[in-house]
Amino acid sequence: MSTARPLLPRVRDGGAVVLTSPVPSAAAAGDRWGTAAALGLRATLALVRGDLSGVSRDGGRGAALFRELGDRWGELQTVTPLAALAEIRGDYEDAARRQREGLDMARELGLLAEVSARLSGLGRLALLSRDWERGRELHEQARRIAAEQGYKYGEIHSEMGLALGARRSGDLDAAETHLGRIRDGYADVSSEAGDHLLLAELGFLAELRGDAGTAASHHLRGLAVARSLGEPRAMALSLEGLAGAAALGGDGPGAECAAVLLGAADAARRGVGAPLPPAERGDVDRAAAAARAALGGPGFTAAYGVGARLTAEEAVRRACPVLGRFAPGAVGARGVRG
C-alpha cells in the first residue's frame, strides 16, 4: 500500500483540475501543521517543475516545522524532494544522510512502501559511487518490498535502478531486460517523467550498441515528452542523448552537431543551477570524447560554445539535418514529429 495521502484540496477552474495553495491562509490561522504540510507538497511540485530554489526553500521550512511539531510522518514526506535536491547538486553525503534518516523513520512508523522508496534512493547513491553490487542489492530489496505491498511506483523505481546499474556497469543485456519489464509491465501507471527516463535509457542503450538510428528515435520521442514536462533538466538529458547518437557517425557534421547539443544541454542545466556532477557525466563525456576526436580540440570548443548560446529548441532545430540522417521522417520543424 502507498503511504501517500493528499495534502491539498483539489478545485476546478474552468474545467481544469488545479491545486490550491493554502500556505498563507494556514500560516495566518496559526495552523503550523497545515503550513508544514502545504510547504512539503509545494517542495515536491517544485521538484517536478525543476524549481530547485523552491525545493530548498519550501522543503527546508516544511521539514523544520514538522521536526518542531515532533511529527515523524510529516518530516518523512520532505525526504524525497530534499534528498533529490542534494543529489542533483552533487552533495551525495547529505543525500545519503537524508535517505538513511528517512529509512529509519519509515521503519519506525511501519510504512513499508516508504521503506522501499528509501532503499531505492540509497541504491541510486550506491550507483553514483560505482558500487554496482551494493546498488543492485538495495534495489532488489526495494523491489521485493514494493511488490509485496502492491506499490507499483516503487516497483518501477527499483526496476529502473536495476537498469541504470546494469547499463552503467556494462551489462547491456541485463539493462535491456529491466527496461523491457518497465515498458511492457507498467505502462498503465507510468508517469511522464518515468516515460522520459525510460526513453532516455533505451536511447543510451542503443547508442552503446552502435545503433545511431534507434538511439536517435528514442531520444527524439523523449524530447517530445520533455517538452510536455517543461523541465529544463529533462530537455538537457534528451539533448545529451541526441548528441551521443549524432557523434556515432564519426564525421564532421555529426561531431559538430553533437558538440552544439552538448553546449546547449550544459547551458540549460546551468540555467537552473544544476550542472551535471562528475559522477553523472559518463554519457556526456563519452559523446564529447567522440566529437572532440573528430573535430579536434579547437573545433569542438567552438561548436560547444555556439551551443551554449542557444536555447534547447534552437539547438535541436540546428541539429535537425544531421539527426534526420539517423531517424528519417522523425524530425520536423520543432525537432520531432509525433
Side-chain angles (χ1 to χ4, degrees):
M1 58 180 290
S2 171
T3 62
R5 66 173 181 173
L7 298 180
L8 296 179
R10 292 181 181 272
V11 296
R12 290 196 174 271
D13 179 15
V17 178
V18 298
L19 287 170
T20 61
S21 181
V23 175
S25 57
D31 181 359
R32 297 174 71 206
W33 190 94
T35 301
L39 286 168
L41 183 55
R42 265 198 346 196
T44 299
L45 296 175
L47 180 63
V48 172
R49 296 193 306 271
D51 176 10
L52 302 186
S53 63
V55 176
S56 179
R57 179 187 64 247
D58 292 335
R61 286 176 59 202
L65 271 174
F66 277 128
R67 198 172 302 119
E68 291 171 11
L69 293 167
D71 188 331
R72 300 279 276 174
W73 178 90
E75 191 177 349
L76 182 57
Q77 308 313 302
T78 66
V79 169
T80 291
L82 290 175
L85 177 65
E87 186 177 321
I88 290 166
R89 290 177 170 171
D91 189 348
Y92 302 138
E93 183 177 343
D94 182 52
R97 177 185 63 81
R98 292 183 183 280
Q99 294 286 7
R100 286 193 297 267
E101 289 176 354
L103 181 59
D104 289 342
M105 285 186 273
R107 284 173 169 161
E108 172 190 324
L109 297 170
L111 301 175
L112 293 180
E114 286 287 353
V115 169
S116 171
R118 305 285 69 80
L119 288 171
S120 279
L122 289 167
R124 291 292 203 280
L125 292 168
L127 298 183
L128 291 172
S129 67
R130 302 181 66 82
D131 189 343
W132 311 126
E133 184 59 25
R134 180 61 174 158
R136 187 191 63 77
E137 290 174 356
L138 287 165
H139 282 112
E140 287 286 10
Q141 290 179 46
R143 182 171 65 172
R144 285 196 298 270
I145 293 170
E148 289 167 0
Q149 297 298 303
Y151 181 34
K152 295 297 185 182
Y153 288 106
E155 292 181 60
I156 295 171
H157 197 60
S158 54
E159 192 81 58
M160 179 57 77
L162 291 166
L164 290 167
R167 182 176 72 80
R168 292 181 181 186
S169 65
D171 191 346
L172 302 188
D173 289 343
E176 183 176 31
T177 297
H178 292 303
L179 294 173
R181 286 176 184 161
I182 296 171
R183 181 192 58 212
D184 300 334
Y186 299 99
D188 58 330
V189 294
S190 181
S191 66
E192 276 195 312
D195 291 340
H196 179 260
L197 181 55
L198 175 63
L199 288 165
E201 281 300 304
L202 288 169
F204 286 125
L205 182 64
E207 178 211 330
L208 287 167
R209 285 176 165 162
D211 186 345
T214 299
S217 293
H218 283 309
H219 288 303
L220 286 168
R221 289 174 59 201
L223 180 68
V225 179
R227 287 193 182 106
S228 177
L229 287 168
E231 211 278 82
R233 292 185 307 118
M235 288 290 290
L237 180 60
S238 292
L239 296 190
E240 290 155 2
L242 289 168
L248 275 181
D251 59 6
E256 182 179 0
C257 171
V260 168
L261 289 168
L262 290 174
D266 182 60
R269 290 187 183 278
R270 292 183 184 280
V272 293
L276 271 180
E280 298 191 63
R281 291 192 58 86
D283 296 316
V284 168
D285 288 346
R286 184 175 64 254
R292 189 178 287 108
L295 296 174
F300 175 84
T301 299
Y304 191 96
V306 169
R309 295 188 292 274
L310 300 176
T311 67
E313 294 291 358
E314 288 169 344
V316 171
R317 284 196 293 271
R318 187 183 181 105
C320 280
V322 172
L323 295 175
R325 296 186 313 180
F326 302 123
V331 178
R334 297 192 63 207
V336 58
R337 296 192 189 279

